[in-house]
Amino acid sequence: MSFHMEDWPQVSAFTYRLRGFSNKTAHHYMRSYQLALWRRVQNAYFANKDDLCIGSIKRNKKALDLVQEFIDMYKTKSNYAAIMHYIENSHDGNERVNYLDHDLKKFLSHNFESGNLNNTALILYSDHGSRFGMDRWSNQGDMEERLPFLSIFLPNSYIRQNSDKFKNLQRNAQQLTTPFDIHETIRELSCTNKPKKKQEIRAISLLNHIPINRTCQSIGLSIHYCVCDQNWEFLNPKEQFSVQSAEYVVAYLNKELSKAEDYCMPLKIKKINYVKQAKIGGDVFYKINFITMPNKAKYEAMVKFDPDEKKLLIKSTDSVSRLDAYGSQSKCLEKFPSSKKLTVDLRKFCLCKPMRKSKA
């Protein structure tokens, strides 16, 4: 049996700008409930008056109670898998993360003490750390955006029967791993993994041996999201090269925005906060942190220097992180006609033109 729940149906993983599941959903799919709940609380949310409650009950407690009901219903009847994505306490800031503490502790304690986890694996995870604010500008901030929290519990019964796999898991905590590996781990634990014709290097279960010489390049991980062996050196942001680097990135963004030129305003540089360089895998890369106008947006871009052409190269808009919330700045893109086939996501760059803003 299966259970799937996401607390924010308006930005759910499989329905945000997507069409949901092409085949069957989970046996217990909580989207209808969450849509009804969102309609009830959205006005308070947008007015900054949301108390994260439904009546007198905290919404995170209600969500955990639903997971608990599912566990209790099937623990003696069937194998089961439950997935819950819960973000509303921390998505817009860390001020209310502690609201979860007591209820999560109670949920975990109950399931440990009752024996529900004697034959069940438990994974606690996040999708990323803090991405906004001045802390994001630091080296620690780089890692916060790129290295999400992950904790895996395996029952003693599994460890006794699979001691080698448990040792692999412990070793792999110090290795380069990605969500592809976590997906492969879940498939192995749930006995749904398919036999492979050849050795996979991009997706290896965390219960198997992951090579110590694995690199971002070998698994197709963008340098923008790679944190391995990067010793960054700061440059003077007022030097000509620094200014030209930032201008190059903004020119690239404006070229992309021109695909929706009737909707989005062009950008220009307001301030360059820092530029730093590092040599990665034999190539030289630069990180440029800057602010643009008129959207007053903060960005960090990763660009590569081509020694043959003697110029900078940017791979895609994915190489540019926005370090503050864009909110409703790009809301007019929701009205962008599908017939024009916009293939790049411009939301973090687009500031709607006044005439489009009023129609959005």
Side-chain angles (χ1 to χ4, degrees):
M1 299 300 293
S2 55
F3 174 98
H4 182 206
M5 178 178 180
E6 298 189 65
D7 63 327
W8 272 8
Q10 74 277 23
V11 292
S12 296
F14 299 100
T15 55
Y16 183 46
R17 301 170 56 244
L18 301 171
R19 297 186 177 182
F21 297 95
S22 57
N23 299 311
K24 294 180 180 179
T25 62
H27 295 98
H28 295 267
Y29 185 43
M30 308 306 294
R31 181 165 175 78
S32 296
Y33 163 75
Q34 291 299 150
L35 283 169
L37 180 57
W38 173 245
R39 284 193 290 268
R40 178 172 173 174
V41 304
Q42 61 180 328
N43 290 337
Y45 171 78
F46 288 119
N48 292 319
K49 295 180 179 179
D50 186 10
D51 60 3
L52 300 180
C53 291
I54 175 171
S56 61
I57 302 174
K58 288 188 291 182
R59 293 203 293 271
N60 67 264
K61 182 180 185 305
K62 182 61 178 176
L64 288 169
D65 286 347
L66 289 171
V67 178
Q68 190 64 59
E69 289 177 20
F70 171 78
I71 293 172
D72 293 339
M73 183 180 297
Y74 292 109
K75 63 183 180 182
T76 60
K77 300 176 183 178
S78 170
N79 294 331
Y80 63 81
I83 299 176
M84 182 177 76
H85 302 151
Y86 200 88
I87 64 173
E88 66 178 352
N89 285 64
S90 59
H91 185 272
D92 295 335
N94 295 326
E95 297 82 10
R96 300 194 287 185
V97 176
N98 62 310
Y99 288 17
L100 287 163
D101 290 351
H102 174 75
D103 299 312
L104 183 58
K105 178 179 182 296
K106 186 176 179 181
F107 172 82
L108 294 174
S109 296
H110 169 76
N111 284 289
F112 274 110
E113 294 167 3
S114 65
N116 289 341
L117 297 177
N118 287 350
N119 62 351
T120 301
L122 176 70
I123 301 175
L124 293 178
Y125 62 93
S126 68
D127 54 352
H128 52 74
S130 178
R131 296 188 296 175
F132 301 151
M134 290 297 294
D135 290 342
R136 172 59 186 82
W137 295 16
S138 65
N139 289 334
Q140 179 63 31
D142 281 352
M143 291 188 284
E144 283 285 323
E145 182 181 28
R146 294 159 172 80
L147 297 178
F149 168 81
L150 174 69
S151 175
I152 300 178
F153 166 81
L154 297 174
N156 288 329
S157 56
Y158 179 90
I159 295 172
R160 285 194 297 269
Q161 296 174 26
N162 301 274
S163 58
D164 290 342
K165 289 186 175 294
F166 182 64
K167 290 177 182 177
N168 285 334
L169 178 64
Q170 291 177 308
R171 279 194 295 265
N172 291 336
Q174 305 300 321
Q175 301 294 74
L176 171 61
T177 56
T178 75
F180 291 107
D181 303 320
I182 299 168
H183 177 258
E184 195 68 17
T185 305
I186 294 172
R187 297 200 68 164
E188 178 173 351
L189 289 170
S190 59
C191 301
T192 59
N193 53 329
K194 298 178 181 178
K196 297 183 177 65
K197 294 182 180 179
K198 60 180 181 178
Q199 176 66 30
E200 293 283 350
I201 60 171
R202 193 176 191 188
I204 303 175
S205 167
L206 298 176
L207 302 170
N208 295 329
H209 174 70
I210 293 179
I212 193 170
N213 61 348
R214 200 184 205 195
T215 65
C216 296
Q217 292 90 332
S218 71
I219 57 175
L221 180 62
S222 167
I223 292 295
H224 183 65
Y225 291 103
C226 183
V227 296
C228 299
D229 298 326
Q230 296 186 9
N231 297 312
W232 292 97
E233 176 187 351
F234 283 91
L235 305 179
N236 185 342
K238 296 183 179 180
E239 288 182 352
Q240 183 180 7
F241 178 81
S242 298
V243 174
Q244 291 176 340
S245 299
E247 289 175 344
Y248 165 76
V249 175
V250 173
Y252 170 80
L253 295 181
N254 282 331
K255 181 180 178 181
E256 295 298 312
L257 286 169
S258 69
K259 298 173 182 177
E261 60 183 352
D262 292 338
Y263 290 76
C264 305
M265 299 178 68
L267 304 178
K268 61 182 180 180
I269 295 174
K270 179 183 179 182
K271 181 182 179 183
I272 302 172
N273 294 311
Y274 63 73
V275 178
K276 52 186 180 179
Q277 69 175 4
K279 193 170 184 178
I280 306 171
D283 294 314
V284 177
F285 289 85
Y286 295 89
K287 275 187 182 178
I288 305 124
N289 182 298
F290 58 96
I291 300 174
T292 58
M293 292 294 288
N295 58 349
K296 300 179 182 178
K298 300 178 179 68
Y299 294 106
E300 183 180 84
M302 172 89 80
V303 296
K304 175 184 174 181
F305 182 74
D306 185 334
D308 297 325
E309 297 290 333
K310 303 271 189 232
K311 66 179 183 180
L312 296 171
L313 300 172
I314 187 167
K315 189 173 183 181
S316 71
T317 54
D318 291 337
S319 297
V320 184
S321 294
R322 180 149 181 179
L323 309 185
D324 61 341
Y326 56 81
S328 59
Q329 287 188 346
S330 57
K331 190 171 177 59
C332 61
L333 289 177
E334 296 176 2
K335 305 294 184 181
F336 194 89
S338 58
S339 60
K340 291 190 176 182
K341 297 181 179 179
L342 183 63
T343 57
V344 61
D345 185 1
L346 297 176
R347 289 172 301 152
K348 58 186 177 182
F349 312 114
C350 178
L351 176 64
C352 293
K353 291 184 174 180
M355 57 179 291
R356 292 291 181 182
K357 194 179 297 184
S358 61
K359 295 179 181 179

